[in-house]
Each structure stands twice: as structure tokens, then as C-alpha cells.
Amino acid sequence: MIINTIIFDMDGLMFDTENLYIDVFEDICNKNNYSFPRKYLLGMLGASDINLSKYEKEYPWIKEMFKLTNENLASYYDKRFAVAGSANKYGLKEIHDYLKKNGYKICIASSSRLAYIQKLVANCGFDFQADLILSSKGFCQSKPAPDIFLACAKKMGVKPENCLVLEDSKNGIRAVYNANMRRVWIPDQVPFNEEDMKYVDLQCENLKEVIDILEAM
């Protein structure tokens, strides 16, 4: 089946913002004299609707810390990535230019809020031309449910088998698997174990290497 649509995750895939989120959360916890195991936080990456109920008994303040993190994330972003393009993951412009030159449709499907997605794309330092930008906030189930990727395909008028999704998180890769789409894992914050690798279709180290994958298809 021909691949004609490339779907990008955003945080940790296009931009170095998974690392930012971790730092903001831990900074806010520290300022409030709290501590939350990083391994639990890493397991939540890539999901928009985080179920905190299993942590609330031991960490009754956890919801408030996530609320403060989300409220302050944009201001932390502005300080760390004041220079346009400084948040970009390696190869972002190269893969974008290749896709545009070769007629691929480009989508961004993220668990982040739409305004935040637009803010980051506008600050990437070049004209990133996405055919569709979609946020899962408020309209579909969070990853690893496949909803956001299936919604992308539907809105773009293509079949799931026509899509190649670029993802960095466990929740994201499982969501793509559940959507029955081709998928490329590009590692960021969380290493995959043997069980996680069962859901991986293709793998590369950075966005630029995706060009080689497409050339080989």
C-alpha cells in the first residue's frame, strides 16, 4: 500500500518539549517541597488524559502539581527556547522539506492543547506547512487509544494503511499500532523494553533518517 500521508507526534518528536515538561513538573514539585518518582512520570508521557487516581493516596497533592505544570509550561518554554528553532529536534526541517518536495500530506497529531501546538510550530524557525493540526484535547480518547490518528486519516481523506506515523512514546506507538498504521519509533525520553518493541514497526535515531525509510518504501 502506498504511503502518502505522514503524521507527526509533537512533544519529544518534533520539539524537545517532553524533557521540558519533566523539568517544569519537577521544578514546581521542588518549590512546593514535594517529590514524585520520575519513573511514574515517564510512564505518563504521550497521553493527554492521565489517570492519577492510583497515585493520589500516596501523593494527595499530585493533581495540583500537574495543574500548575500545565498552567506554567508556556512561560517556561519561552525562557528556555527564546531563539526560534532552538526547540527543534534534529532533522525537523530536512524531513519537512523532503515531504513537501515529494508531495506527501503532513499532519500533526498531539495530546497537547491546540494553542500550544500552534505556538511551538510558529516558533520552529521556518514555515512548517502542515495540512492538518489536530489536538486530542476534549474530543477523543487519549493515546494509546487510536482515535486521534484515525481522525487524522478521516479528515485527510486517506485510509489508515496510507499513513506513516512518527512517534517517540510508548503510548503513542501503541496508539498507532491500534490504528493499524505504519509507524516509526524515534527514541526520546523513555527506552522501550522487549514488550514495547512488539508494537514497533520501524525505528530510526532522528527525523532526518525518516527520509531513508521513505526512500526505501
Side-chain angles (χ1 to χ4, degrees):
M1 185 63 66
I2 295 174
I3 297 296
N4 57 27
T5 302
I6 310 300
I7 304 176
F8 289 75
D9 174 48
M10 187 185 72
D11 293 302
L13 190 284
M14 296 174 63
F15 307 114
D16 190 24
T17 43
E18 292 282 32
N19 189 46
L20 174 69
Y21 193 91
I22 293 168
D23 289 346
V24 175
F25 177 81
E26 292 183 341
D27 186 47
I28 287 175
C29 284
N30 289 336
K31 287 178 178 178
N32 288 274
N33 297 314
Y34 295 136
S35 178
F36 186 70
R38 179 173 283 203
K39 64 179 180 180
Y40 296 157
L41 182 60
L42 292 177
M44 300 174 189
L45 296 179
S48 57
D49 299 319
I50 301 171
N51 182 6
L52 298 174
S53 58
K54 62 181 179 181
Y55 303 110
E56 286 185 287
K57 184 176 181 180
E58 188 172 357
Y59 309 99
W61 38 263
I62 191 67
K63 281 188 176 180
E64 180 63 19
M65 293 302 100
F66 271 103
K67 179 174 179 290
L68 289 172
T69 298
N70 292 327
E71 289 174 352
N72 288 277
L73 187 60
S75 63
Y76 276 78
Y77 172 88
D78 289 339
K79 293 175 183 177
R80 180 173 297 188
F81 302 118
V83 177
S86 59
N88 295 4
K89 299 287 289 208
Y90 178 74
L92 180 62
K93 188 175 189 305
E94 288 85 351
I95 184 62
H96 168 272
D97 292 351
Y98 173 86
L99 296 176
K100 298 304 293 185
K101 180 180 179 181
N102 289 277
Y104 289 91
K105 298 175 182 178
I106 300 176
C107 305
I108 299 173
S110 174
S111 302
S112 292
R113 299 183 186 280
L114 182 59
Y116 185 64
I117 302 170
Q118 293 170 332
K119 174 185 176 71
L120 270 59
V121 171
N123 192 47
C124 75
F126 65 94
D127 183 19
F128 191 100
Q129 299 176 32
D131 298 288
L132 176 68
I133 296 178
L134 200 59
S135 167
S136 64
K137 290 288 188 184
F139 96 96
C140 68
Q141 291 188 64
S142 178
K143 303 171 187 177
D147 301 34
I148 190 169
F149 296 123
L150 294 174
C152 274
K154 184 176 181 179
K155 287 179 178 292
M156 293 303 298
V158 299
K159 296 179 180 179
E161 53 264 37
N162 297 131
C163 300
L164 178 71
V165 184
L166 314 180
E167 264 285 359
D168 67 288
S169 73
K170 295 183 179 185
N171 287 317
I173 283 292
R174 292 192 183 211
V176 188
Y177 175 88
N178 292 333
N180 195 33
M181 295 177 176
R182 299 295 303 272
R183 53 212 170 273
V184 180
W185 174 48
I186 304 177
D188 183 46
Q189 294 297 313
V190 183
F192 279 28
N193 58 32
E194 185 176 348
E195 177 64 23
D196 300 323
M197 291 304 296
K198 293 178 182 179
Y199 299 93
V200 172
D201 183 12
L202 301 160
Q203 179 181 349
C204 59
E205 292 303 311
N206 56 65
L207 288 167
K208 189 175 181 180
E209 290 183 5
V210 176
I211 296 172
D212 294 332
I213 289 175
L214 291 170
E215 286 285 300
M217 284 184 166

